[in-house]
Structures are given as structure tokens and as C-alpha cells.
Amino acid sequence: MDISKYPQINPPPRLLMGPGPINADPRVLRAMSSQLIGQYDPAMTGYMNEVMALYRALFRTENKWTMLVDGTSRAGIEAILLSAIRPGDKVLVPVFGRFGHLLCEIARRCRAEVHTIEAPWGEVFTPDRIEDAIKAVRPRLLLTVQGDTSTTMLQPLENLGTICRQYGVLFYTDATASFGGNPLETDAWGLDAVSAGMQKCLGGPSGTSPVTLSPEMAAVIRKRQCVEEGIRTAAHQDGDDEMIYSNYFDLGMIMDYWGPERLNHHTEATTALFGARECARLILQEGLDNSIARHRLHGDAMLAGIQGMGLETFGNLNHKMHNVLGVVIPSGINGEQVRTLMLEDFAIEIGTSFGPLAGKVWRIGTMGYNARKDCVLQTLTALDAVLNRIGSKTVQGAAMQAAWNHYASGSL
Ligand SMILES: *Cc1c(COP(=O)(O)O)cnc(C)c1O
């Protein structure tokens, strides 16, 4: 093999302003270049305990079982669904975008009886509508998405925990896209399980998924049988309910690995854990509320800029996530041509869309390390210039000036 054809990796410089991933914070990259240590080295188990404490603070929870599932955000989703859903369980999924469909798909693989309610893309559900569906279906679990990047909408969750408790329903949310940039109160909102990811507002690379489980959810998982009876007695204490059809995503075993038993399961992804630890430290040093306010500020500035250049936005702005904006592609403009020119000539990436929004909406993110004034102003300037170059009649400079004015007005 001619190895000279495979030079050392050297990715082109890019400003990632799509719906994720985004550029990692340099502090996270530095933490991730630290040397490896053994998985039972007291330093390593110490870091694992620190990660649990840091993520309890970020999830705003007292949950003992707050830990990382190795793999991308989908690993956290699968671990929770596989561990919580018994074959035949009824689950209810309010679907308002692509990630709601993902929850249905995974739940079906868990042999759940899946019930859905649907909202048009660009809208969310009222608590009443979800309560009516809970009354009609009487599910064992409610599976929600907090921020669905496919539509840029944020589902209000704060009233659902009370409803779930009233009907004996376990309450889960996929907070991957919203976590760290929009409010999430695990305990105050009565959530039984939450999963997240690194590559959105947390400013890290994908590869590990923080999860948190309420004591009730942990007890449900502990009731599943274990195949290796006698070897991992701690993982599944009662063993009444049907086993979990995955070893890697068996949260009982993952608890035994993160807990004081330290029973060997997988080899913790050391480098990913170093990154996740630094992501949490970054936000907690800034202050979680300050991080949420920063995402709102830069999201609003991007919105002001897009509106300032006369472009239409997608979806109900009252329910928009702070960190991503849907922009309707003006008629007569080829959305992919714009994205290509943005990438090739300005090294800026903005997002395309899926399903019913494909070819109709760009998605522009302002999150994590890239929720910054310079990133917003650069992106608007480039988009404006590209649109003018290919024949769209925006007033040149208006977008960037509108965003700049938003910052100058000091509005938060
Ligand atoms: C981006 C996103 C994910 C990403 O999952 P990965 O496995 O990390 O690609 C999951 N859920 C939601 C709601 C997202 O927006």
C-alpha cells in the first residue's frame, strides 16, 4: 500500500452553523487529547463519579443514576427504551417531527404497542391533547422529544410530569438537541428518564450520551431478568419481568458498572468521557441559566437578521428552540446551490432539511461553541452575499445590520 496517498488527517477549516454537529470548544478538544488510563484506575473511577455529579447539576436532578451511555445520542435513546419497555407494553409518542418517528421505530423494535398522536410540522402539542391521548390509550410510557431539530420546535414539557403521575405513566424525553441551550428541569418537571448528546448545545463531539433515571425508572429496569443469573445478581434484583434484549444497552448492567459494584461491562470510552466532563464543566462555569440565555440571545439575533433581510421563517416562533432556526428557501432559489457556495467560498455550513421540508427549508444553528456574535454576523453576511450573487433581491447588508442592532439594543 502506498501510504503517502493517506496523509495525516487535516480537515478543512469550517464554521458549522447547521443543526449539529457544531465546532467543538477547543477546551473539549484539549481534554480529549489527554492520555488514557486503565478503567479501574482510581483516577478513572474518580472521573466517572465526577461526571455523574456534573451531569446531575446539568440535568437539574438528584437522580443517583445519572451516567454516560457510550455511543451517539441514539445510544442513550436505545438504552432507555430497550431497558424500560417490556414486549407488549403500550407506549404513547406525540410526534411533531423526525425524531418522534425515531422513538416509534425504536419502540416497535422493543415490541411495544406503539400509539401516536401527530402535530403538523412546525407546531407542538398542548398538555390537554397529550392528557386526552393518555386517557384514551393508558400507556405505560410517554415518549417525547423536547427539541426536534427536524422542525426546530420545542415541545413544552413542564406540565406533563403531573399528568403522567396521575395516570401512572413513566415519562421520558429525548433532550439531545435542546439540552444546555433551553430550560430542562428533570426533577421539577417529573421526568423519569432523559437522554442527551454532546454535539448540539454542549459543544462537544458526538460519541457519548448522558442519561438520567429516576428511582422509579431504575427500579423498573432492575425488575428485568438477567441471562447471566448469579454472575450479575446486582443488575436485576427481582428478575420478574422479561429480560432486556440487549447486553450493551442493558442499563441495569451499566448501573452496576458506574455504581459501587464496578462490575465489568464495556470498557468506558475514556476519551469521550474526558470530553463529556469538560463540556459539563464549561456550562457549569458559565452557569446553566447563563448558557440558556446566551443561546436565546444568539438565536434571537439570527432570527432578527433573517427577518431583517426579508426572508420567511419556518414554524411557530412561540415554540422555537433557542438554538436552531428554520428559514424558508425563497422561491426561485436553489437551496443546495446556496449551501454549496456558503461552504466552498465562505467555509460555512448551514443545514438542509428532511422529509416534508426537504428543499424548502434551511436550518441554521447557533449552539454550543458557535452561539457567538461573530458566528451569527459572519453567517448572515455570507448568506446575504450568496443570495445576491445568484439573483435574489435582498437589500445587501440588511441582515447583518438587523442582527447587529439586536445585539446593540442589549435585549435578552
Ligand atoms: C440531533 C439529534 C439526535 C442525534 O442523535 P445522534 O445519534 O447523536 O446522531 C437525536 N435526537 C434529537 C432530537 C436530535 O435533534
Side-chain angles (χ1 to χ4, degrees):
M1 169 181 240
D2 180 4
I3 196 66
S4 68
K5 291 203 174 111
Y6 301 85
Q8 192 173 27
I9 203 151
N10 184 22
R14 301 284 193 224
L15 177 61
L16 302 180
M17 298 297 284
I22 50 98
N23 300 78
D25 192 297
R27 265 177 55 180
V28 176
L29 296 178
R30 281 198 294 275
M32 293 184 77
S33 65
S34 305
Q35 185 53 275
L36 304 184
I37 49 178
Q39 65 171 333
Y40 293 114
D41 188 311
M44 182 63 188
T45 52
Y47 290 142
M48 290 171 77
N49 291 341
E50 288 173 12
V51 163
M52 293 176 100
L54 289 163
Y55 279 86
R56 279 185 202 111
L58 277 189
F59 279 116
R60 297 216 155 126
T61 183
E62 302 287 320
N63 289 341
K64 173 178 177 187
W65 297 115
T66 303
M67 54 207 176
L68 303 178
V69 175
D70 293 339
T72 67
S73 321
R74 196 171 295 232
I77 302 172
E78 286 220 22
I80 289 172
L81 268 53
L82 270 159
S83 300
I85 298 173
R86 302 166 307 190
D89 276 346
K90 283 189 201 173
V91 305
L92 175 66
V93 188
V95 177
F96 61 101
R98 176 173 182 251
F99 287 100
H101 289 297
L102 175 67
L103 295 183
C104 295
E105 204 266 348
I106 298 173
R108 284 194 189 100
R109 287 175 191 262
C110 303
R111 307 267 185 274
E113 183 185 314
V114 178
H115 295 258
T116 59
I117 47 176
E118 299 213 17
W121 283 39
E123 293 293 338
V124 295
F125 295 90
T126 61
D128 284 350
R129 204 166 155 221
I130 293 176
E131 181 169 11
D132 287 346
I134 287 178
K135 277 195 232 167
V137 173
R138 301 310 298 253
R140 188 158 167 274
L141 287 109
L142 174 69
L143 308 178
T144 62
V145 175
Q146 188 187 21
D148 200 313
T149 36
S150 67
T151 70
T152 74
M153 293 296 107
L154 188 83
Q155 171 63 45
L157 300 178
E158 52 271 31
N159 299 314
L160 302 183
T162 314
I163 298 170
C164 285
R165 251 193 315 281
Q166 194 182 336
Y167 296 96
V169 176
L170 291 165
F171 179 23
Y172 161 73
T173 201
D174 169 10
T176 304
S178 42
F179 191 51
N182 303 265
L184 176 81
E185 302 281 341
T186 300
D187 288 358
W189 295 355
L191 280 150
D192 289 296
V194 185
S195 64
M198 292 292 130
Q199 74 270 32
K200 310 276 170 83
C201 302
L202 291 195
S206 66
T208 191
S209 174
V211 300
T212 188
L213 310 172
S214 70
E216 294 74 22
M217 181 59 94
V220 160
I221 293 167
R222 293 284 202 197
K223 281 189 73 173
R224 307 292 293 270
Q225 288 173 28
C226 194
V227 189
E228 293 180 67
E229 209 74 60
I231 298 175
R232 295 174 194 280
T233 46
H236 299 289
Q237 285 151 351
D238 297 336
D240 293 335
D241 290 350
E242 203 162 336
M243 69 175 181
I244 294 167
Y245 292 95
S246 168
N247 174 294
Y248 189 70
F249 289 136
D250 182 332
L251 281 173
M253 288 180 165
I254 296 175
M255 286 182 225
D256 284 347
Y257 177 43
W258 281 76
E261 296 88 356
R262 299 271 176 220
L263 292 182
N264 190 25
H265 181 245
H266 58 289
T267 310
E268 184 51 23
T270 314
T271 303
L273 179 135
F274 291 169
R277 183 179 175 280
E278 194 62 19
C279 287
R281 264 169 40 78
L282 271 163
I283 294 194
L284 292 168
Q285 272 180 347
E286 178 182 9
L288 179 53
D289 289 331
N290 294 337
S291 170
I292 294 166
R294 171 169 56 88
H295 282 86
R296 192 175 77 201
L297 171 66
H298 298 294
D300 283 351
M302 184 64 82
L303 174 64
I306 291 296
Q307 289 175 334
M309 74 194 293
L311 297 187
E312 221 183 293
T313 58
F314 173 78
N316 183 342
L317 292 180
N318 295 327
H319 293 292
K320 179 188 140 341
M321 295 159 72
H322 290 156
N323 51 303
V324 56
L325 175 65
V327 180
V328 176
I329 299 169
S331 63
I333 293 292
N334 176 341
E336 283 312 291
Q337 187 191 5
V338 170
R339 287 192 346 109
T340 303
L341 283 171
M342 292 273 290
L343 192 71
E344 288 180 352
D345 290 351
F346 294 87
I348 297 175
E349 180 181 279
I350 62 168
T352 178
S353 295
F354 306 103
L357 304 186
K360 297 186 183 142
V361 170
W362 294 305
R363 291 174 305 151
I364 304 183
T366 41
M367 57 183 104
Y369 183 59
N370 292 351
R372 299 201 314 266
K373 188 196 279 186
D374 57 310
C375 300
V376 170
L377 298 181
Q378 275 179 48
T379 303
L380 287 167
T381 303
L383 178 62
D384 190 13
V386 168
L387 282 172
N388 272 280
R389 188 166 185 91
I390 66 170
S392 185
K393 287 164 277 301
T394 58
V395 180
Q396 259 193 323
M400 197 276 274
Q401 294 295 342
W404 219 359
N405 286 341
H406 182 82
Y407 288 118
S409 74
S411 45
L412 252 183

